[in-house]
Amino acid sequence: MHGWPRYRPVRVRPSSEGWRSRVEPRSASPSLRDGRGMSEGVSTMASPVEEHVDLQSLPKDERLNRMRHSAAHVLAEAMVELMPEAELGIGPPIDTGFYYDFRLPRPLTQEDLGWLEERMRRSIAGKHPFVMSALTKADAEQRWAKQPFKLDLLKDLDEGNVTQCTHAAFTDLCRGGHVNNTGEIPAFKLMSIAGAYWRGSEKNPQLQRVYGALFETPEELAGYEQALEDAKRRDHRRIGRELDLFALYDEVGPGHVIWLPDGATVRRELQRWIEDLEVERGYQHVITPVVAKRELYVRSGHWEHYKDAMYPVMEREGEEYCLRPMNCPSHIMIFADGLHSYREMPIRIAELGNMHRWEKSGQVSGMSRVRIMTLNDAHIFCADIAQVEAEVEGVLRLMEEVYGVLGLRKYSYQLSLGDPGDKEKYVDNPPMWEAGESLLRRVLQRVGLEFEEAKGEAAFYGPKIDVQFETAAGKDETLVTVQVDFHLPNQFQLEFVGEDGERHQPIIVHRGVISTMERMVALLIEEYEGHFPLWLAPAQAVVIPIADRHVAYANAVAAELRAANLRVRVDDRNERMNGKIRDAQLKKVPYMLVVGDREAEAHAAAVRVRGGGDLGAMPVTDIVARLRGERDSKALVPGVFRER
RNA sequence: GCCCGGGUGGCGCAACUGGCAGCGCAUCCGAUUUGUAAUCGGACGGUUAGGGGUUCGAGUCCCCUCUCGGGCUCCA
């Protein structure tokens, strides 16, 4: 275990709501990150520090962190009893509880978890005080001689800054931040076992991580477990199957999404909409091939920086071809073909095309992480920095409009910066990075968007603005990015003729708005829990004839709606009306139009809104008007039409 | 890619220590003709992910592969 890279703290973004499993960011709270410990009674060499703490006077965050961190110690205490050979990693609080990493002689089982939890409860019942003490680095090294991970942590600690924490018979190298005694550890539950690399690097050994949930009251803990259940209900993989939106087949391959008719309808509506918005804003849509010569990607730099994430090269007749992982090079070819004047700029080239990326097997998931995806992409060729700023601003405003219409709530902006120290990952050109980064920061501020900055998260060729969102499961994913690119224009020696008659190099803005169709639809499924607003709903209404003799009239009603381009189905199965309503509800169809003798007589239908609510009989022409209004305004809530 | 846990009709699940692969829903057929969340009856449907091994006998035990899930890592 030599040559471990420096530990890089897990990057954290404040979560809008909900829970996420992550290391707590607050530096005010003592994290275990560089303290830790072991299990052999209190050292006589150590001198006590830290006094009694009044938990109730602390802010809730701080209080919880102490409880969670303390629970992690108790977990380690139990583990050392279960397996004395256990090597201890770290055990920090996270915002749903805590975890502790161990290297163990055998894999943990579910039964172990039960045993550990019982053992923890016994320790808690014992009300053992947590006692902090200081010791010298030399003493610590001696004491943790058999704990390689503790020694590794110790390397980063300065003399005079080494402390440990003891409760009962257990001692852990630790920076501090505990409750007074184990009795102050409230409601908790051991949740799961996972693998985790030491210090978060896959070059290091992999440890076994035990996750625990911990809240101040049993009610809050139960609430958390309930929220996990609810999240499962909203999972796009589940709803996608239930509503026949998309499918994934082993035979077709992981991450290769099959869009079923109803999912394809949602996608088509989104696609038409975004393309129209782009056309209104001066984008020109193109169509370029999904395969290009390898040489093209060598020149763009993708081959060097990205080939591991590309499908294997195809070779025929001595030529090498690649499935494109992105389409910037193709769009650049379009720009490079012919000489452009500054008068034409900016030139906005857009495409909804398939990209192919060899995502590693362990990270393909549903429709949100796939290998073949349709990207809402565009490249804006700008003449100068002022133009770049204006274009980035335009993109941000378009995003705000689009996400507003879709009703997205859990998204946030992030300014992703490069890392001058990392020459492998990033193109080496400090002034270029500096220019791009300050520009993006400026525009974000001007548009008035809140954002976070994240070092080391940029694209290989430049800084970017990422739009992050939170999945139902509470995980963070990137929706789209906006990038300022000085690199590719240089690689391809792009130029245009300026006002001065001289040749100049353009700057490219890469941008997405709707993300990939796969990821966006996955997000929308979860956001709406499958209840798409009318304009996106695969079936916008179901006509339900009460008895066989009403089927003809039901078809007539449906035809009237279809004449207004509404998507209508007629449920003419030999079922009872109640059964048909139930099925329509389960399929989350926005409107149910029940027709029987009375309605046929009055050229009407009894309207039922998805989710319950019988609106009574309405004339068919009124129904058509209502649904059109709701569709055309892209209303998020039935009957509440949005001003456009 | 790595760690752990799974894979049984279309979907959701069952089958004690190895001993005849079952149930619900869906589908299909028939009966019923219905007023706001499940009408009744019947039938069809599985080489237990794939391959190999142990055994008189494998859904069950062992090995390999594929694949899914939870994490970790990665993510233009």
Side-chain angles (χ1 to χ4, degrees):
Chain A
M1 288 190 298
H2 300 296
W4 287 334
R6 270 199 76 76
Y7 183 61
R8 224 178 44 163
V10 179
R11 180 172 53 83
V12 178
R13 197 168 297 104
S15 82
S16 39
E17 47 185 298
W19 291 277
R20 2 220 325 237
S21 297
R22 247 211 207 131
V23 176
E24 277 291 333
R26 290 146 191 106
S27 54
S29 69
S31 139
L32 241 198
R33 198 166 289 145
D34 32 88
R36 355 354 253 333
M38 249 239 17
S39 63
E40 282 142 34
V42 190
S43 164
T44 50
M45 301 172 280
S47 48
V49 291
E50 193 164 307
E51 291 301 305
H52 177 87
V53 56
D54 178 15
L55 281 181
Q56 290 316 306
S57 70
L58 295 173
K60 180 163 184 173
D61 275 2
E62 171 66 16
R63 203 161 60 226
L64 269 171
N65 276 341
R66 282 173 178 265
M67 291 167 172
R68 288 165 174 169
H69 180 181
S70 300
H73 275 237
V74 176
L75 168 59
E77 175 200 0
M79 185 67 81
V80 165
E81 190 169 313
L82 181 66
M83 296 187 218
E85 319 86 317
E87 292 173 4
L88 307 180
I90 61 169
I94 54 178
D95 63 1
T96 59
F98 59 93
Y99 67 77
Y100 209 113
D101 290 344
F102 307 93
R103 185 153 68 176
L104 304 171
R106 63 166 175 86
L108 284 170
T109 65
Q110 209 53 41
E111 292 70 56
D112 291 331
L113 234 45
W115 187 92
L116 289 165
E117 194 171 302
E118 268 320 297
R119 180 63 188 78
M120 286 175 72
R121 293 195 193 288
R122 252 196 295 143
S123 180
I124 287 168
K127 294 187 165 50
H128 305 291
F130 287 98
V131 180
M132 290 296 298
S133 50
L135 67 171
T136 66
K137 210 166 164 175
D139 286 347
E141 278 164 5
Q142 194 183 342
R143 165 185 254 295
W144 280 291
K146 288 183 181 164
Q147 289 283 343
F149 303 107
K150 296 300 177 189
L151 290 179
D152 189 52
L153 294 162
L154 215 40
K155 281 196 306 205
D156 294 343
L157 291 183
D158 296 326
E159 189 64 70
N161 204 14
V162 182
T163 54
Q164 61 186 13
C165 178
T166 301
H167 78 275
F170 177 81
T171 299
D172 201 350
L173 182 64
C174 177
R175 180 194 286 176
H178 288 279
V179 293
N180 299 297
N181 67 71
T182 56
E184 290 178 331
I185 293 171
F188 80 99
K189 181 179 178 184
L190 294 187
M191 302 298 282
S192 59
I193 307 157
Y197 297 107
W198 172 242
R199 292 197 180 215
S201 167
E202 61 184 338
K203 296 193 175 82
N204 290 342
Q206 192 163 49
L207 311 179
Q208 296 189 63
R209 174 172 296 178
V210 177
Y211 278 104
L214 184 149
F215 293 89
E216 274 193 286
T217 64
E219 291 71 30
E220 283 172 287
L221 179 61
Y224 169 62
E225 293 189 80
Q226 184 59 48
L228 289 180
E229 282 301 308
D230 294 347
K232 277 187 204 151
R233 256 202 302 287
R234 284 171 48 212
D235 191 315
H236 77 276
R237 292 169 294 194
R238 174 198 174 106
I239 294 177
R241 188 165 46 237
E242 284 171 356
L243 302 189
D244 296 313
L245 299 174
F246 67 93
L248 290 153
Y249 302 99
D250 289 0
E251 296 87 337
V252 180
H256 298 176
V257 175
I258 303 267
W259 293 78
L260 300 174
D262 281 357
T265 297
V266 175
R267 172 180 165 145
R268 185 173 61 249
E269 290 296 331
L270 278 172
Q271 191 163 326
R272 287 176 174 169
W273 177 53
I274 189 64
E275 284 181 339
D276 286 349
L277 288 175
E278 286 170 347
V279 168
E280 283 170 21
R281 284 159 182 73
Y283 288 83
Q284 301 172 282
H285 288 87
V286 299
I287 297 167
T288 63
V290 295
V291 173
K293 287 188 178 174
R294 187 177 73 93
E295 230 7 76
L296 183 66
Y297 300 106
V298 171
R299 184 159 185 197
S300 67
H302 289 107
W303 186 255
E304 185 190 347
H305 291 274
Y306 204 70
K307 66 169 176 296
D308 288 347
M310 289 168 69
Y311 274 71
V313 172
M314 293 170 274
E315 188 273 325
R316 261 286 153 95
E317 297 182 359
E319 297 290 344
E320 291 181 313
Y321 285 90
C322 294
L323 276 171
R324 68 172 171 202
M326 48 187 83
N327 54 21
C328 349
S330 305
H331 291 184
I332 285 171
M333 296 314 290
I334 294 172
F335 178 87
D337 183 28
L339 196 53
H340 296 283
S341 156
Y342 71 94
R343 296 174 202 274
E344 302 168 59
M345 314 272 275
I347 294 176
R348 307 180 187 89
I349 297 180
E351 177 168 8
L352 269 156
N354 275 7
M355 305 304 145
H356 314 75
R357 302 178 184 180
W358 193 265
E359 300 290 348
K360 288 192 240 167
S361 55
Q363 41 215 34
V364 174
S365 174
M367 275 213 303
S368 61
R369 192 79 184 265
V370 299
R371 284 183 173 159
I372 301 183
M373 66 212 81
T374 310
L375 191 61
N376 163 233
D377 200 12
H379 297 93
I380 308 175
F381 297 83
C382 300
D384 52 37
I385 290 288
Q387 232 169 48
V388 172
E389 285 204 35
E391 289 303 308
V392 171
E393 178 170 344
V395 169
L396 292 177
R397 294 197 190 283
L398 177 57
M399 286 175 175
E400 284 295 294
E401 174 174 351
V402 165
Y403 304 153
V405 170
L406 293 173
L408 302 189
R409 289 163 296 156
K410 296 181 180 175
Y411 69 96
S412 61
Y413 293 91
Q414 169 181 298
L415 178 55
S416 296
L417 309 171
D419 181 352
D422 195 340
K423 306 264 194 252
E424 285 223 347
K425 189 170 173 185
Y426 300 114
V427 171
D428 187 16
N429 186 346
M432 173 194 98
W433 286 93
E434 173 45 36
E437 291 175 0
S438 61
L439 182 153
L440 291 177
R441 190 178 292 116
R442 213 153 53 229
V443 179
L444 277 165
Q445 285 163 349
R446 185 164 62 237
V447 179
L449 298 169
E450 284 182 28
F451 65 97
E452 294 235 330
E453 302 201 3
K455 195 177 169 188
E457 296 289 330
F460 75 79
Y461 49 77
K464 56 181 181 165
I465 295 170
D466 288 324
V467 181
Q468 301 294 122
F469 77 97
E470 199 180 313
T471 67
K475 279 189 286 192
D476 209 44
E477 281 187 329
T478 300
L479 198 56
V480 293
T481 66
V482 186
Q483 296 156 17
V484 179
D485 177 11
F486 301 93
H487 174 69
L488 289 175
N490 194 45
Q491 289 301 107
F492 287 89
Q493 291 295 302
L494 299 182
E495 37 180 45
F496 66 96
V497 180
E499 204 171 350
D500 55 6
E502 300 294 316
R503 303 287 174 101
H504 299 272
Q505 195 162 80
I507 306 157
I508 302 178
V509 174
H510 305 239
R511 52 108 273 190
V513 172
I514 287 259
S515 183
T516 65
M517 302 316 289
E518 288 76 12
R519 188 166 279 187
M520 177 54 87
V521 171
L523 166 61
L524 292 179
I525 289 170
E526 298 190 347
E527 187 73 28
Y528 302 140
E529 213 173 324
H531 295 98
F532 289 101
L534 191 82
W535 71 285
L536 290 174
Q540 295 167 318
V542 174
V543 186
I544 297 176
I546 289 176
D548 284 352
R549 65 177 182 280
H550 307 122
V551 169
Y553 176 66
N555 282 321
V557 170
E560 276 192 68
L561 270 72
R562 288 195 190 107
N565 273 321
L566 290 160
R567 295 183 288 269
V568 198
R569 289 169 193 171
V570 176
D571 190 347
D572 57 3
R573 291 175 306 161
N574 186 359
E575 271 296 329
R576 295 178 62 213
M577 180 199 66
N578 274 322
K580 295 177 184 180
I581 286 177
R582 179 183 150 83
D583 288 341
Q585 283 288 163
L586 292 176
K587 289 293 180 189
K588 306 180 195 284
V589 180
Y591 285 96
M592 284 145 271
L593 308 176
V594 178
V595 295
D597 291 331
R598 299 198 295 266
E599 288 76 17
E601 181 74 18
H603 194 61
V607 178
R608 179 187 163 105
V609 185
R610 169 179 63 191
D614 183 356
L615 300 186
M618 291 172 63
V620 175
T621 49
D622 290 1
I623 295 171
V624 170
R626 180 191 172 99
L627 267 60
R628 287 177 81 148
E630 187 169 329
R631 175 192 65 193
D632 295 342
S633 72
K634 298 188 166 53
L636 287 167
V637 180
V640 182
F641 302 159
R642 184 175 159 273
E643 299 294 328
R644 293 214 71 204

